[in-house]
Every structure is written in structure tokens, then in C-alpha cells.
Amino acid sequence: MAVQRTFSIIKPDATRRNLTGKINALLEAGGLRIVAQKRIWMTKGQAEAFYGVHKERPFFGSLVAFMTSGPVVVQVLEGEDAVAKNREIMGATNPANAAEGTIRKTFAESIEANSAHGSDSIENAAIEIAYFFSGLEIVG
Ligand code: CMP
């Protein structure tokens, strides 16, 4: 295993309920280090481009509306096997299928309002990190 970086979003359902610290505690307890973090309110265009891979899916419009409904916290996480580790800490996309103790099992409201996003591959992590952060903002 190697030290990797992955990209994470704490979604509007979680910021609305003031859960940023509780979610960060789970990330840190799982061995990930938050090496960059900022709170932003995504524009429609930013959310559409970020989720462009899903643009043909029936939930795309609703997903973009949800992701622009309030602030999010975008993050870069670093650690051993960080992409897979973060997905393990988040749990399954649908909270009904997520394991006990995961972010989504503990906090998610629905498959859409599922509290967190995490990159699904090292390649996508690099793309997603570069979409929101400059190198100067990442301090390992
Ligand atoms: P995320 O990991 O951010 O990637 C795509 C998002 O689409 C997903 O989390 C969910 O928030 C949202 N979504 C809404 N409906 C679905 C669905 N039926 N299947 C997968 N993702 C969905």
C-alpha cells in the first residue's frame, strides 16, 4: 500500500445539521489526514461539471439541485490507501446498504442526501482535487 490522496465532500445535508466536525472525526479516526479543506457554496455550473459523468442519469437534475442547496466542505484526504479507506469510512452510496459505524449509515438522510462524497479511483481523485484546489492550498 502507498500513501495516496483522495477528494471528499461533506454535502449540504450534513453542513445544514452542523455535522462537519463529527464527520471529520470519523475520517481522522479511520487514519486519514485532512491536508486541505474549505467551505464553499457550489454554483449550478460547478456542480453540473463536477457530476458530468452522471448527466444522463435520471437523478442528475435533482442531484445538482441538492448539491447547490447549501454550503459544502471540500477536502483533500491523505493516508495509506486513501481512496479505498475513505470509501470504507463513508459506507455504501445508499445508507440502507451502508455498514454500521460508517458516515452514511450514521448520518445520511437518503441515497441523494448521503452526507459525503469520495473519489472512486486514484485517477478521479487527481481530477477532482485539481477541480477545487490549487497545489498551494494542500499542505501535507
Ligand atoms: P456521490 O458519491 O456523490 O456520487 C453521485 C451521487 O448521486 C451519489 O453520491 C448520490 O448522492 C446521488 N444519487 C442520487 N440518486 C442516486 C442513485 N439512484 N444511485 C446512485 N447515486 C445517486
Side-chain angles (χ1 to χ4, degrees), residues 11 51 54 57 59 63 93 104 111-114 116-118:
K11 295 188 180 184
Y51 280 119
H54 295 303
R57 308 283 288 273
F59 57 79
L63 174 62
T93 304
R104 285 163 167 169
I111 192 169
E112 177 175 86
N114 64 356
H117 164 84

Side-chain angles (χ1 to χ4, degrees), residues 50-70:
F50 180 75
Y51 280 119
V53 66
H54 295 303
K55 65 176 180 298
E56 305 303 332
R57 308 283 288 273
F59 57 79
F60 181 70
S62 177
L63 174 62
V64 168
F66 165 64
M67 290 300 291
T68 57
S69 68

Side-chain angles (χ1 to χ4, degrees), residues 2-3 7 30 55-56 59 76-77 82 90 92 95 110 119 127-128 134:
V3 173
F7 176 74
K55 65 176 180 298
E56 305 303 332
F59 57 79
V76 181
L77 308 176
M90 282 193 305
S110 66
S119 307
I127 292 166
E128 293 176 355
S134 78

